[in-house]
Amino acid sequence: LKATAPSISELQGTQRPVARKLEIPGARPSAADKRRFMSDNVSKIRAKPTPPPTAGRGRGKGDAEEDSAEFKKTLKEVLNFVTPQMGKIQRRQFEQNRVRALGGTLESRPHEPYSHVQSMRKQMEAARQKR
């Protein structure tokens, strides 16, 4: 017995299933899934994808607006109470840190004439010598 290959006319009558891409509607691979796919560790590649984070974590909606408004009000009261009790240098540092945190640029320091700086140094040196 000799096995023969099917002829073209025989193959044309049969339909081959079309390859389909497995897609989950509305789901895109996360960055972790992409990293795992590109990993050199086969067990990581074959592992099941991690579930998306649950809605329970993070900031909740609803009372968040009330809480943030109350929080801002309380924060403002605390700052209004504490700021006048700070010294001049502490207050200036606080303002500079606040501007930096908000992404702004700091003001340049006030420039003093060189002769004034020299006289201040002489006074400080004389005070130190007296001690």
Side-chain angles (χ1 to χ4, degrees):
L1 293 180
K2 193 175 190 184
T4 58
S7 65
I8 295 176
S9 60
E10 291 174 354
L11 288 176
Q12 286 177 349
T14 62
Q15 291 186 351
R16 218 162 113 192
V18 178
R20 291 182 294 160
K21 184 178 178 184
L22 177 63
E23 290 185 15
I24 301 170
R28 293 178 54 188
S30 66
D33 293 335
K34 289 178 185 176
R35 271 194 310 274
R36 190 177 61 247
F37 177 75
M38 295 302 291
S39 172
D40 60 345
N41 190 345
V42 177
S43 62
K44 285 184 181 178
I45 296 172
R46 298 282 184 188
K48 293 183 179 180
T50 57
T54 60
R57 298 183 78 188
R59 294 181 74 179
K61 294 182 180 177
D63 293 335
E65 293 177 10
E66 293 175 10
D67 290 343
S68 67
E70 184 179 342
F71 176 76
K72 287 179 182 178
K73 181 183 173 191
T74 307
L75 180 65
K76 196 173 267 190
E77 288 175 1
V78 169
L79 289 176
N80 289 339
F81 178 74
V82 172
T83 306
Q85 296 178 5
M86 290 182 184
K88 182 178 180 182
I89 295 171
Q90 291 173 330
R91 203 172 317 137
R92 186 163 181 255
Q93 286 177 343
F94 175 77
E95 288 295 325
Q96 286 177 348
N97 289 339
R98 193 168 111 199
V99 169
R100 270 196 212 114
L102 294 172
T105 57
L106 300 176
E107 297 175 1
S108 61
R109 288 191 233 159
H111 295 282
E112 293 186 36
Y114 186 63
S115 60
H116 181 66
V117 173
Q118 281 181 326
S119 65
M120 292 295 289
R121 272 194 194 155
K122 282 184 182 178
Q123 289 175 1
M124 289 173 65
E125 185 66 31
R128 198 170 3 156
Q129 292 295 329
K130 287 182 182 178
R131 290 185 208 170

